[in-house]
Short mmCIF file of all heavy atoms in Angstrom, two decimals:
data_model
loop_
_atom_site.label_atom_id
_atom_site.label_comp_id
_atom_site.label_asym_id
_atom_site.label_seq_id
_atom_site.Cartn_x
_atom_site.Cartn_y
_atom_site.Cartn_z
N TYR B 290 2.15 24.92 11.95
CA TYR B 290 2.85 23.69 12.33
C TYR B 290 1.94 22.74 13.11
O TYR B 290 1.84 21.57 12.80
CB TYR B 290 4.08 24.05 13.15
CG TYR B 290 4.78 22.86 13.78
CD1 TYR B 290 5.77 22.17 13.07
CD2 TYR B 290 4.44 22.40 15.05
CE1 TYR B 290 6.40 21.08 13.63
CE2 TYR B 290 5.06 21.31 15.61
CZ TYR B 290 6.03 20.65 14.90
OH TYR B 290 6.65 19.56 15.45
N ASP B 291 1.27 23.29 14.14
CA ASP B 291 0.42 22.43 14.97
C ASP B 291 -0.65 21.74 14.15
O ASP B 291 -0.90 20.54 14.28
CB ASP B 291 -0.24 23.25 16.09
CG ASP B 291 0.78 23.73 17.10
OD1 ASP B 291 1.99 23.47 16.88
OD2 ASP B 291 0.37 24.35 18.08
N SER B 292 -1.28 22.51 13.26
CA SER B 292 -2.36 21.91 12.47
C SER B 292 -1.81 20.85 11.51
O SER B 292 -2.49 19.88 11.20
CB SER B 292 -3.12 23.00 11.70
OG SER B 292 -2.27 23.58 10.74
N MET B 293 -0.56 21.04 11.07
CA MET B 293 0.08 20.01 10.24
C MET B 293 0.20 18.71 11.01
O MET B 293 -0.07 17.63 10.48
CB MET B 293 1.48 20.45 9.80
CG MET B 293 1.50 21.45 8.69
SD MET B 293 0.85 20.75 7.17
CE MET B 293 1.74 21.67 5.96
N VAL B 294 0.63 18.81 12.27
CA VAL B 294 0.80 17.61 13.09
C VAL B 294 -0.55 16.94 13.30
O VAL B 294 -0.70 15.72 13.10
CB VAL B 294 1.45 17.95 14.43
CG1 VAL B 294 1.45 16.75 15.37
CG2 VAL B 294 2.87 18.46 14.22
N TYR B 295 -1.56 17.74 13.66
CA TYR B 295 -2.86 17.14 13.92
C TYR B 295 -3.46 16.58 12.64
O TYR B 295 -4.13 15.53 12.67
CB TYR B 295 -3.81 18.16 14.57
CG TYR B 295 -3.32 18.63 15.92
CD1 TYR B 295 -3.31 19.96 16.28
CD2 TYR B 295 -2.85 17.68 16.84
CE1 TYR B 295 -2.85 20.37 17.51
CE2 TYR B 295 -2.38 18.09 18.09
CZ TYR B 295 -2.38 19.44 18.41
OH TYR B 295 -1.91 19.82 19.63
N ALA B 296 -3.24 17.25 11.53
CA ALA B 296 -3.77 16.75 10.26
C ALA B 296 -3.13 15.40 9.92
O ALA B 296 -3.81 14.48 9.46
CB ALA B 296 -3.53 17.75 9.15
N THR B 297 -1.82 15.28 10.16
CA THR B 297 -1.15 14.02 9.88
C THR B 297 -1.72 12.91 10.74
O THR B 297 -2.00 11.80 10.26
CB THR B 297 0.37 14.15 10.15
OG1 THR B 297 0.85 15.32 9.50
CG2 THR B 297 1.12 12.94 9.66
N ALA B 298 -1.91 13.22 12.03
CA ALA B 298 -2.46 12.22 12.94
C ALA B 298 -3.89 11.85 12.51
O ALA B 298 -4.27 10.67 12.54
CB ALA B 298 -2.45 12.72 14.37
N ALA B 299 -4.66 12.85 12.08
CA ALA B 299 -6.04 12.59 11.67
C ALA B 299 -6.08 11.69 10.44
O ALA B 299 -6.88 10.76 10.36
CB ALA B 299 -6.77 13.90 11.39
N ILE B 300 -5.17 11.97 9.49
CA ILE B 300 -5.12 11.13 8.30
C ILE B 300 -4.76 9.70 8.70
O ILE B 300 -5.33 8.73 8.20
CB ILE B 300 -4.11 11.70 7.28
CG1 ILE B 300 -4.62 13.02 6.71
CG2 ILE B 300 -3.88 10.72 6.14
CD1 ILE B 300 -3.61 13.75 5.85
N GLY B 301 -3.79 9.58 9.62
CA GLY B 301 -3.38 8.25 10.07
C GLY B 301 -4.56 7.50 10.67
O GLY B 301 -4.79 6.32 10.38
N PHE B 302 -5.35 8.19 11.51
CA PHE B 302 -6.50 7.52 12.12
C PHE B 302 -7.55 7.16 11.08
O PHE B 302 -8.03 6.02 11.02
CB PHE B 302 -7.12 8.42 13.21
CG PHE B 302 -8.46 7.92 13.68
CD1 PHE B 302 -8.54 6.80 14.50
CD2 PHE B 302 -9.63 8.52 13.25
CE1 PHE B 302 -9.77 6.31 14.91
CE2 PHE B 302 -10.87 8.04 13.65
CZ PHE B 302 -10.94 6.93 14.47
#
Side-chain angles (χ1 to χ4, degrees):
Chain B
Y290 171 89
D291 291 3
S292 65
M293 282 295 209
V294 172
Y295 296 134
T297 311
I300 292 172
F302 168 74

